[in-house]
Amino acid sequence: LAKTTQPISMDSYEGQEVNITCSHNNIATNDYITWYQQFPSQGPRFIIQGYKTKVTNEVASLFIPADRKSSTLSLPRVSLSDTAVYYCLVGRRNSGNTPLVFGKGTRLSVIA
Amino acid sequence: KAGVTQTPRYLIKTRGQQVTLSCSPISGHRSVSWYQQTPGQGLQFLFEYFSETQRNKGNFPGRFSGRQFSNSRSEMNVSTLELGDSALYLCASSLITSVGQETQYFGPGTRLLVL
């Protein structure tokens, strides 16, 4: 399983764009990159998933360079409610193999 | 579609007791995973069930067990509770595509306090 490295914490002011980068140097050819968001005392929530280049949905964008050794989650114009822990997971689920591992994540604090 | 539901939401037990937690996955999802989350250890994988069979197991003692029923609902049981078992227990149902692309949908969790 590809090991991921994320910053432990980040601070941002409301209205700013936040970019959280995840390093995954040993990503395998067929691995997907998935980001989850977790608020205190709640289960993680799927945000976005991608394989290469750029993926955008109503919540965030995911940028993946050509070498795929890193990825960046971009949150446009954050608000206080975006304060949460963000997890980057890398892997591909084949039948029977071990589920992807959640690391420590990045704790984002949005300040008014 | 209804999301993942977990019952009960909160539970207080004393050391030595046992507890059973329940999880109903999203309709159509056959994979159900359980996680334990504590402030110190983060999210730790307990086990995964698929079509009533345990497919993967994390590094937890045998006091932690689970099962899955034919309707994909799952239960986990913790026997001989210890103070360190106090945690948020999360259940997730997964949608896994034929090419291994997985999306997990988590329930709200059960907060267990062991006194």
Side-chain angles (χ1 to χ4, degrees), chain A residues 46-65:
Chain A
F46 171 84
I47 302 177
I48 198 166
Q49 184 177 72
Y51 181 75
K52 62 180 179 181
T53 61
K54 176 184 174 183
V55 180
T56 297
N57 61 23
E58 65 279 4
V59 177
S61 294
L62 178 60
F63 298 92
I64 305 169

Side-chain angles (χ1 to χ4, degrees), chain A residues 82-111:
Chain A
D82 292 315
T83 294
V85 178
Y86 293 82
Y87 298 95
C88 164
L89 278 73
V90 173
R92 177 176 181 239
R93 289 300 308 279
N94 296 308
S95 176
N97 69 345
T98 307
L100 305 186
V101 174
F102 281 80
K104 298 296 186 185
T106 297
R107 186 171 299 276
L108 172 66
S109 297
V110 180
I111 308 160

Side-chain angles (χ1 to χ4, degrees), chain A residues 36 38 41 49 92-93, chain B residues 37 99-102 104 111:
Chain A
Y36 289 85
Q38 186 179 26
S41 298
Q49 184 177 72
R92 177 176 181 239
R93 289 300 308 279
Chain B
Q37 187 170 34
V99 293
Q101 193 173 2
E102 177 181 34
Q104 286 188 297
R111 173 76 62 186

Side-chain angles (χ1 to χ4, degrees), chain A residues 5-64:
Chain A
T5 304
Q6 303 175 234
I8 294 173
S9 64
M10 294 180 70
D11 293 333
S12 176
Y13 287 101
E14 273 192 298
Q16 288 188 326
E17 177 185 76
V18 171
N19 295 309
I20 306 174
T21 297
C22 179
S23 297
H24 29 80
N25 290 319
N26 61 337
I27 186 170
T29 303
N30 295 323
D31 284 349
Y32 289 91
I33 300 161
T34 310
W35 286 81
Y36 289 85
Q37 173 193 56
Q38 186 179 26
F39 299 113
S41 298
Q42 294 184 28
R45 181 177 75 104
F46 171 84
I47 302 177
I48 198 166
Q49 184 177 72
Y51 181 75
K52 62 180 179 181
T53 61
K54 176 184 174 183
V55 180
T56 297
N57 61 23
E58 65 279 4
V59 177
S61 294
L62 178 60
F63 298 92
I64 305 169

Side-chain angles (χ1 to χ4, degrees), chain B residues 20-21 34 46-49 52-54 57 62-69 73-78:
Chain B
T20 299
L21 311 181
W34 288 89
L46 279 156
F47 29 65
E48 178 194 17
Y49 285 87
E52 301 179 65
T53 302
Q54 188 180 87
K57 190 177 190 307
R63 301 184 297 107
F64 292 82
S65 63
R67 60 178 175 168
Q68 186 180 33
F69 302 95
R73 190 177 69 86
S74 177
E75 288 181 348
M76 69 162 280
N77 183 276
V78 188

